[in-house]
Structures are given as structure tokens and as C-alpha cells.
Amino acid sequence: MTFRISRMAPLLSLALVISAGAAETVHVTKLRLSRVVMYDAPNGNAIGDVEKEQYVAGSWTVAGEPQAGFIKLSGDGKVFWVKSLAIDTNKKVTTASECGVKIGGNVEKIGATRALGEGCK
Amino acid sequence: MGFIRQVERPLVLRALLLAFIGYSVFIFHGLSNHLDPWSQALINAAVKFAYGKTGQDDITVVLFREENLAELDTHYPVPYRLHSDVIEAIATYQPKAVFVDFAFIDNRDPKSIGQLSDALCTLRDAGAAVYLAAPLGNGKLPSITPELLRCAKPALPDMDHKSGESGVLTYFHGRKTDSGFVPSAAFALAQDRLHIDPERAEKLEIVWGKGVAPLNLKWMKCDEKTGWALLHSTLFENPLANRLDCPYHRTISANHLLNSVGDDDIQQALEGRTVFYGAGFRFTGDRVESPVYGEMPGIYLHTMAYDNLLTFGESYKRADRHGILVRLIDMALLLVASFLLVFVKAPEKTEADSLIDFIHHAQMIAVGLGFVAVIMGIAMTFGLDIACLTGALLYVVYRGFIQQDPAFLLLVVITLGTTIFGYYVLNLGPRNILAFVAFFEVVGHFQDKLVKKAKTYFEFRDKFLLQGTADEEAGALPLPLWDKLLVPIFWLFYQPDPKETKP
């Protein structure tokens, strides 16, 4: 009996890993924009687009966490990025880990002007 | 009748004198207009339980926080492209209306402007009424490119100065400009939704709802001082040192919005809501300080003003407290307080009797004080609001029922009555209740002192000034000038028996 269980253990472990993996898969249920552009990276180059009506629910899966407003997806044998705002999923995925944030209260006053960042004309 | 008039004349004159002094201090010095911190703390506590949740349910803030710049891999100022993303993200949830509290007054490349303008149009096409902050420059609208106003209406983001020690804030309804009347943000929203005409509206005095939206508690640090910490800060600073650091209105960050998918919190926060999109960046000066909340990003001024308009409708609280009716009510209230002080007296006791009473009842007083301390201790564990209301109630019970001062009780009832009348009928903001009560207590105290002084003076006058003149009728010495000045004043507070003395 002990022998049988020990022989089955790897199989059981594999089954557990597979089922856990399946539970973790997050599907894209719908597109929120009428046309969703696919990119090669966050803030990268456009590599294609899909119309809202063309999308088949669940055909894309989430392949990574959101980053700089984009999320990595896989579908149709490709890996690509779309804007997070463009899709809806069957499960919450977020990298916004804000907690214990203090919105109010006095802030330091300085006698200087905040300099502009890059890209301003 | 004539006798009554004769006897009561000095009392009536005294009441009028007290009312005049009170009126001078209250009206000319403006005490009744400015809520002191203690009065404001009481008002805050009352408002917490009386102010409706209509606005809190409807309004959501999307806040671009300083930390979001790094989280979204961008810089300050936020590129128009990223603003477009935020606006497009909001649009996908089909909100009712959106006010964008960013002043896009700088020239940018046409592509960025076009992208932003398209995003605003997407928002409008999703069914939202769209408003864009448009600060004025020299009476004209600033150089916001007309393309950005293609699908959005301009709205003033002006802030008014705070008034009084407690920092009551008022809010503009709008301004006339060279190109017509431009409403402020809250009034622009109210015009379309509540049909309040901003051009005919008056300046609003903001009533600050107190509390924190449940969603905010999930990700913000919202500890309110209680117990010993509350007692310490209240005694060594003032009650307003305990202002809340979390906003009243539901808030999500731009990072949360853009770096999340499938999040029900976002859906519930935006779908069908009125959304205010603003920022909380460092060193940009867009901050607002209110009597209830610590310094907050300026967007919360607009949300609270709009909340007031949603809650009160046309009956929103007016900032103008200088109308003739308001002055008449103040005058009448002071007159009533003065007459109560003079005509309705608490049972009088000599100082010796009071001391004997104190000694006889020392045990009971100690138990009473202990009881009060326990009640206040418990109240303070529930926070400042409950502690303030409990403290006020205990004081009224003590003055009215233990000291048995009916005039005080009457004054409290009348003051509360006029405050409620002013709030609900005249649509005025909360009044300085404590100032009226303080006037009553301070003047009452000095009145007692003056009665004693007047009595002493007339005794002194009988013994040292009038004795000689009574003996020599013909060659009576003239009374000194200071006596002629003092007698009419003291006569208002004490009238000696005419047989014993002559005025």
C-alpha cells in the first residue's frame, strides 16, 4: 500500500499543479474599446488591431501583470500587449498595490517652482 | 402699570445696553460670521449625523497621485497621451458626467492635442457630460485650444479664500467674461443635472460632510484619533487638529485604473457616477484646507461643492451672511439673550451659602464629577464628534438642571432654533452657536460683578458723599463730576432705596 501511494505521488502532484494552473488562467472576456490595438511592448510599436465584434470571448489569456498601463496577453499563438483599459477579464489582475496611503495632511511648502519634465514643447 | 414701568425702567435700559455691547462685538467685529474651532467642531459633529449621503454615493474621484508617475512609467507634467488613456478608461465605464480638473493651457504638439480631444469626444459619445477646467486670464478664457472644447464645456476651477479661524470655504458660482458667463465646475455640473442656473445663483458656502467613503478605507490610512491621543491634541492644540486625512468621496488612483483589469471596485466606482478627474502632485499648490479635512488635493473642493448642490438642490447654503434679515435675527437673538440675563435669574445665593452648599454636597459633587469623567472618557473612545456632542450636552444639563438657570436653557433652545431656521429656511451655513452662548455666560458673569460693584458704590456714596450735603441744605457741596458720570451707569445695575439715598 505504501509502495503504491509513493508511486502515485508524482502523478498526484502533477494533477494538482495542472488543476492549479488551470484555475490561475485568466481569460479576456470582452473588449472594452471598439478597436483594440496590439503592441510589441508597453508603450511600444503597434503590431495589429482587433475590432470589438471580431473578438471571441476567452480566446486571449493574460500572460503577465499590468505594466505602465499595458497588459501582456497571449492568443492565436502570439504574445502581445494591449492597454489594460481595453479589456475585461474573468478575474481581477492588478499591480496597483497602494495601501496605507495618506491623501490628506500638510505637505511641505517650498519656495521653488516644479520644473517641467521631458517632452514639453 | 406706571409703577411697573418705574421699577423696570433701569432693567430694560440695562438689557438694551448689554444688547448694544453684544451687537457691537458680534456684528461689527464679525464674531457671528466666523466659526471658532470649538464651534466648528460642534457643527462638524452635528453635520456628520445630519448630512445626506446622496452626493457621496454619486461622486467618484480619479486621482493622479505623485507616486503614480513612477508606477505608470511617466514624468511630470503628465503627457496628454496618458491623460487620454485615463479619460478613455473612464469612458469605458459610461459615467454620468466627468469634470477634468487639469488646466490644459500650455501649447503642445497638434498630435497630443488631437489625441486628448478625441478622448474627450469618446467620453461624450459614451453618454457622459464632459467639463474641462478653464481658468481665466485677464477676464478672458485662457488659451485652451478650441479643439479641446469640441466635446467638453469649459468650467472655472477657481478657489475662494477661506474665512475665519476654522477655515470655512465658499465657492464661486461662476464669472462673467468677455465671451459670456462661465460657471464654476460644481455649478456647471448642477446646471445640466439639477437645472440650477449658475448665472442667477449666489456664492455657495460649503457644508463639509464628514466621513470616509468605504472604498477609501481599503487603501488609505484613515486612523482617527481617539482616547488619550484625542484628549491630548484637543487640549494642547484645538479640536480642529483632529481633522481627517482621508477624503469623503470615493477615490481610485490613476494607477489603479490603468494597471488593473477585471476589477469590480473600479466598475462600481465609475459606472453611472459623476467622476472628477484631478491630481495630487507635490509642489504644485493645488491643495485645499477645510474645517473637517486636513489639506487635500484641490479636486476635493469641487467634489464637496457639487455634493452640496446634489444634497440641498436650490436650497444650497449661501455664503452671503450680510443680508438685512440675518442682521435682524442676530440683533433679535442678542436682545432676547440680554433680556433673559436681566429678567430671568437663577436662584441667587451668597458666596457663604454657596460655600456651605459645596461642603455639604462635596461627596455628591465628587461622585458627579467622577461620573462625568467616566462618560467623557467613554465618549472620547468614539472619537471627537461624539465627545463634542456629549460635552455640550453635559454642560447644558449642568447649567440648566443642576445650577437651575432657566435663562440659559431658554437661550440654548432659542439659539438652536434660530440656527435651524437660518439653515433650513434662510439657507445659511452653520452659525456660531457657541459665540452666542459664550456672550450669555461672559456677560452674565460681569453683570453679577457689576451689581455687586454698584451696591458697594452706593453704600460708599451714602457714607462719604451724601452725609455732609444732607446736613447743610442751603450750602450743599456740589457732587464731583465722576459721581455724576458713575451714578447713571451703576443705577442700571443696582437701585438703592430712594429713602436711603438720592441719585
Side-chain angles (χ1 to χ4, degrees):
Chain A
M1 190 66 183
T2 313
F3 171 73
R4 278 182 187 171
I5 288 172
S6 63
R7 279 181 65 185
M8 286 172 72
L11 289 171
L12 284 169
S13 307
L14 184 64
L16 281 171
V17 168
I18 290 168
S19 64
E24 289 298 314
T25 305
V26 181
H27 294 281
V28 177
T29 52
K30 68 171 183 184
L31 305 187
R32 302 187 70 88
L33 299 180
S34 54
R35 190 175 72 92
V36 174
V37 179
M38 295 183 278
Y39 298 88
D40 58 358
N43 289 316
N45 297 315
I47 54 170
D49 58 55
V50 176
E51 297 291 325
K52 188 175 186 176
E53 292 76 23
Q54 290 175 342
Y55 179 73
V56 179
S59 58
W60 291 351
T61 55
V62 173
E65 291 184 325
Q67 188 185 320
F70 289 79
I71 187 163
K72 193 177 183 182
L73 302 177
S74 63
D76 307 327
K78 289 185 288 187
V79 174
F80 52 90
W81 295 76
V82 299
K83 286 181 180 176
S84 305
L85 66 95
I87 60 163
D88 218 344
T89 54
N90 61 335
K91 198 177 167 192
K92 177 179 167 180
V93 182
T94 183
T95 46
S97 55
E98 294 157 296
C99 59
V101 168
K102 204 177 162 201
I103 298 286
N106 293 333
V107 293
E108 67 274 46
K109 308 267 191 303
I110 61 161
T113 304
R114 186 168 181 165
L116 294 180
E118 295 168 6
C120 303
K121 293 181 180 175
Chain B
M1 191 66 186
F3 170 75
I4 291 171
R5 269 197 213 122
Q6 188 68 27
V7 170
E8 295 193 345
R9 189 179 300 155
L11 296 183
V12 172
L13 287 172
R14 191 204 305 179
L16 290 174
L17 176 71
L18 296 181
F20 174 75
I21 293 169
Y23 193 78
S24 309
V25 174
F26 271 67
I27 307 304
F28 297 119
H29 196 261
L31 265 183
S32 63
N33 293 336
H34 302 307
L35 297 166
D36 59 73
W38 284 98
S39 199
Q40 183 66 56
L42 261 182
I43 296 293
N44 293 348
V47 167
K48 181 177 183 176
F49 300 104
Y51 189 77
K53 301 276 184 199
T54 318
Q56 196 183 33
D57 290 341
D58 183 69
I59 294 168
T60 294
V61 173
V62 174
L63 190 68
F64 209 124
R65 298 176 55 238
E66 176 75 27
E67 292 75 8
N68 293 168
L69 293 170
E71 288 155 346
L72 290 166
D73 198 17
T74 189
H75 50 70
Y76 180 86
V78 178
Y80 281 15
R81 176 195 57 76
L82 199 52
H83 283 303
S84 306
D85 282 355
V86 173
I87 290 165
E88 272 189 56
I90 295 170
T92 63
Y93 293 95
Q94 297 177 317
K96 202 180 292 169
V98 178
F99 168 60
V100 180
D101 193 23
F102 288 90
F104 298 109
I105 57 171
D106 297 300
N107 283 328
R108 297 289 174 98
D109 63 284
K111 190 184 164 194
S112 300
I113 290 171
Q115 207 172 1
L116 183 58
S117 179
D118 287 348
L120 292 168
C121 288
T122 305
L123 191 55
R124 186 201 59 182
D125 295 343
V130 187
Y131 307 88
L132 191 58
L136 295 183
N138 302 324
K140 296 177 182 173
L141 283 176
S143 54
I144 289 182
T145 175
E147 199 177 342
L148 289 181
L149 294 174
R150 192 158 51 96
C151 299
K153 295 178 188 175
L156 287 180
D158 290 22
M159 249 184 221
D160 203 0
H161 60 88
K162 66 175 187 178
S163 67
E165 205 182 334
S166 63
V168 171
L169 283 160
T170 56
Y171 191 84
F172 288 110
H173 53 105
R175 286 186 194 284
K176 277 186 183 164
T177 68
D178 291 353
S179 54
F181 187 86
V182 183
S184 60
F187 277 90
L189 283 153
Q191 183 176 25
D192 291 339
R193 178 148 174 210
L194 306 166
H195 309 297
I196 293 173
D197 182 1
E199 206 165 349
R200 291 183 180 182
E202 294 171 62
K203 215 158 118 178
L204 176 152
E205 178 176 316
I206 299 179
V207 175
W208 293 83
K210 193 169 184 187
V212 178
L215 179 64
N216 300 353
L217 296 170
K218 285 188 179 179
W219 65 285
M220 295 179 195
K221 194 175 183 323
C222 306
D223 302 332
E224 202 180 341
K225 281 181 196 164
T226 57
W228 174 249
L230 172 63
L231 183 68
H232 187 268
S233 65
T234 304
L235 292 179
F236 290 96
E237 295 173 68
N238 70 52
L240 295 185
N242 302 297
R243 285 186 269 208
L244 299 178
D245 280 337
C246 288
Y248 179 75
H249 292 112
R250 188 190 303 111
T251 302
I252 58 171
S253 71
N255 177 41
H256 187 187
L257 178 65
L258 294 185
N259 271 335
S260 305
V261 290
D263 192 334
D264 289 341
D265 280 344
I266 297 177
Q267 176 120 12
Q268 282 163 19
L270 298 177
E271 205 169 67
R273 310 285 189 191
T274 303
V275 179
F276 289 73
Y277 172 41
F281 296 132
R282 294 169 72 207
F283 314 134
T284 52
D286 180 20
R287 307 280 293 178
V288 60
E289 198 176 357
S290 76
V292 178
Y293 299 90
E295 218 178 87
M296 291 268 178
I299 187 75
Y300 293 102
L301 175 77
H302 303 298
T303 60
M304 205 65 233
Y306 182 59
D307 191 307
N308 275 209
L309 292 170
L310 277 179
T311 304
F312 299 119
E314 292 273 7
S315 308
Y316 67 86
K317 306 309 162 204
R318 269 62 175 174
D320 183 15
R321 293 179 175 217
H322 303 289
I324 188 77
L325 191 57
V326 181
R327 284 169 189 252
L328 281 175
I329 289 175
D330 279 347
M331 202 190 292
L333 194 57
L334 284 166
L335 208 58
V336 168
S338 305
F339 271 83
L340 284 174
L341 273 171
V342 173
F343 284 96
V344 185
K345 290 188 175 173
E348 282 185 29
K349 274 183 187 168
T350 62
E351 283 183 10
D353 285 344
S354 299
L355 188 62
I356 290 165
D357 265 7
F358 179 78
I359 292 163
H360 280 166
H361 299 107
Q363 208 173 355
M364 202 190 287
I365 290 167
V367 171
L369 284 174
F371 191 57
V372 166
V374 169
I375 290 176
M376 283 308 295
I378 293 169
M380 291 194 100
T381 62
F382 289 99
L384 180 65
D385 303 310
I386 299 289
C388 274
L389 291 175
T390 308
L393 188 67
L394 285 174
Y395 187 72
V396 171
V397 168
Y398 167 73
R399 288 284 283 113
F401 299 100
I402 295 176
Q403 284 200 327
Q404 294 181 336
D405 189 343
F408 179 82
L409 273 184
L410 262 172
L411 182 88
V412 168
V413 170
I414 292 169
T415 308
L416 282 177
T418 52
T419 302
I420 291 167
F421 178 78
Y423 190 78
Y424 287 107
V425 180
L426 301 181
N427 295 324
L428 294 171
R431 290 157 57 78
N432 196 345
I433 299 172
L434 281 191
F436 283 97
V437 176
F439 163 79
F440 182 87
E441 295 291 66
V442 171
V443 171
H445 177 75
F446 280 105
Q447 182 187 224
D448 290 346
K449 293 263 180 209
L450 275 169
V451 168
K452 282 177 189 164
K453 295 276 178 219
K455 199 172 176 181
T456 309
Y457 181 76
F458 280 115
E459 282 170 9
F460 160 83
R461 188 171 180 263
D462 266 353
K463 281 187 184 167
F464 299 104
L465 292 181
L466 298 179
Q467 229 168 23
T469 57
D471 297 339
E472 307 168 24
E473 201 62 39
L477 292 171
L479 290 165
L481 179 64
W482 52 265
D483 178 72
K484 286 177 182 163
L485 291 172
L486 282 177
V487 164
I489 297 168
F490 280 136
W491 178 72
L492 294 177
F493 293 89
Y494 180 75
Q495 299 81 48
D497 190 338
K499 290 174 191 167
E500 291 172 14
T501 186
K502 39 184 169 177

